[in-house]
Amino acid sequence: MIGGLIKPFTLNEFGHRRFLWSHYVKGDVERRRSYANWLERRRPDWSNRREAFEAMDAEPAFDLVGDDGVTKALPGAISGTDAAVETINRLKMQTVVDPKKPFLSTMTLSPADLQDNPALLAFGVNPGVIAGIARYMGCLPILHYVEIWISSATDGEMASSQFLHCDADDQRNSSLFLYASDVDEKSGPVTAIRGAPSDRIRNGVKYRYGGKGYRVADADAERFMAPDSEVRLTGPKGTLAVVDTARCFHQGSRVEADGTPRVVAIFRYLTPNGFFWPAKDGFRNTAQYRGLATADHAPIQRMALGAE
């Protein structure tokens, strides 16, 4: 009885009070914005990272337009892409099928994994990549995780990330999907709804970022979409799809029976106000790749790893 009363006031896995998390982070856009504003007053890092972004001289590798939140870079546009793709294909044999998502086999790269595979680390802190994200976010981002996914066709019904949804980890994030295989319409490409139509969908279905209604059926979303709202991010091996998956409804891994499995690495970046950083100290003690920063990294790269 006492434990049940105390539990809402304990911290969850992300370092936030459970009742605040349930009410704000898993709530609607306005509740999430209110909580983010409160977090910003507790965390001093946003202004420092905005100033660092304004002072940087790296050329953005892509243009993530604010009202869209969706773009892509073609193979060869970013230095180090070929080496990163080769590494992804070498590591894909280490992925493990997700028991809750039989269509998906994954591998989350630990700091040691990333250190042992420098091509992926170099891609993740590529100055052009960081500049493209920073221009969209308005400050220097922090690399939250790197994962490898293999999506394959299954006989079962669609589930989980195959439905339209928005990620709860931040008000704005940047999710980079580096294709290590050719991805066509049959391969389950990342498919995103542009920012403004996504706002209309959220308002129309009274969307909450957690619990019932977190996944949205295509037919329910289509009622609020114009014909050009959806972007299907196909492309040859080496294509980089970039999506704000917190703002933009998205889905993927809908591989057709005769489609080629999709092999991709996902680089997820958050702002210093991200909800998945602890409420008290933010990213400073929990950014998992911060220990990989070295004296050879430029200051913006160290900041992207969470070391500063």
Side-chain angles (χ1 to χ4, degrees):
M1 178 68 176
I2 294 176
L5 294 173
I6 293 175
K7 185 175 180 179
F9 298 94
T10 61
L11 301 182
N12 66 8
E13 61 182 305
F14 302 110
H16 297 254
R17 299 291 181 189
R18 293 179 186 276
F19 77 94
L20 294 175
W21 186 268
S22 177
H23 182 77
Y24 289 102
V25 179
K26 289 194 171 184
D28 58 22
V29 170
E30 291 304 318
R31 288 184 184 178
R32 286 164 56 85
R33 182 178 296 116
S34 174
Y35 194 57
N37 290 340
W38 178 74
L39 289 174
E40 184 172 355
R41 292 192 293 271
R42 292 168 61 93
R43 301 170 177 171
D45 298 292
W46 183 278
S47 60
N48 297 338
R49 286 176 166 265
R50 183 175 59 246
E51 292 171 2
F53 154 61
E54 292 171 347
M56 68 186 299
D57 57 4
E59 185 68 24
F62 47 78
D63 186 14
L64 190 58
V65 179
D67 204 38
D68 270 4
V70 183
T71 193
K72 69 179 179 181
L74 298 178
I78 302 171
S79 63
T81 294
D82 290 346
V85 166
E86 182 181 348
T87 301
I88 296 164
N89 280 313
R90 176 168 50 79
L91 292 175
K92 67 183 181 182
M93 300 305 295
Q94 298 182 37
T95 61
V96 177
V97 175
D98 186 332
K100 296 182 179 179
K101 302 177 183 179
F103 56 86
L104 194 62
S105 181
T106 68
M107 174 187 181
T108 300
L109 274 72
S110 69
D113 292 328
L114 209 55
Q115 187 170 38
D116 291 342
N117 295 279
L120 294 181
L121 176 59
F123 189 90
V125 296
N126 180 295
V129 168
I130 297 170
I133 297 169
R135 184 165 62 179
Y136 176 73
M137 288 186 168
C139 72
L140 264 293
I142 304 103
L143 181 60
H144 186 220
Y145 67 73
V146 181
E147 293 185 343
I148 296 173
W149 287 15
I150 303 177
S151 304
S152 305
T154 63
D155 296 330
E157 296 182 354
M158 288 200 308
S160 190
S161 58
Q162 292 177 309
F163 285 106
L164 288 168
H165 63 284
C166 296
D167 295 329
D169 51 17
D170 208 333
Q171 283 190 289
R172 281 195 175 195
N173 70 26
S174 289
S175 299
L176 277 57
F177 300 83
L178 179 58
Y179 292 166
S181 61
D182 295 338
V183 177
D184 58 19
E185 292 286 348
K186 294 185 177 183
S187 302
V190 177
T191 301
I193 310 301
R194 301 180 193 276
S198 286
D199 293 341
R200 292 196 294 272
I201 294 170
R202 260 188 299 277
N203 292 333
V205 302
K206 296 180 171 54
Y207 189 73
R208 291 176 63 91
Y209 277 74
K212 186 178 180 180
Y214 174 56
R215 312 288 184 182
V216 177
D218 290 6
D220 292 333
E222 286 168 359
R223 295 187 291 125
F224 307 99
M225 292 165 50
D228 64 344
S229 298
E230 183 178 87
V231 183
R232 298 179 66 79
L233 295 159
T234 58
K237 178 172 63 175
T239 297
L240 181 70
V242 186
V243 183
D244 178 348
T245 55
R247 184 187 181 195
C248 297
F249 281 94
H250 61 284
Q251 51 86 356
S253 298
R254 297 184 183 182
V255 183
E256 297 182 18
D258 58 345
T260 303
R262 188 191 72 179
V263 183
V264 60
I266 303 173
F267 298 78
R268 174 69 61 83
Y269 300 81
L270 304 181
T271 72
N273 283 351
F275 300 125
F276 281 20
W277 307 126
K280 183 178 180 181
D281 299 317
F283 68 88
R284 289 186 171 274
N285 296 315
T286 52
Q288 64 170 325
Y289 303 126
R290 65 192 186 281
L292 300 182
T294 69
D296 293 330
H297 286 119
I300 63 169
Q301 294 176 308
R302 293 179 56 83
M303 295 180 80
L305 290 169
E308 295 179 4

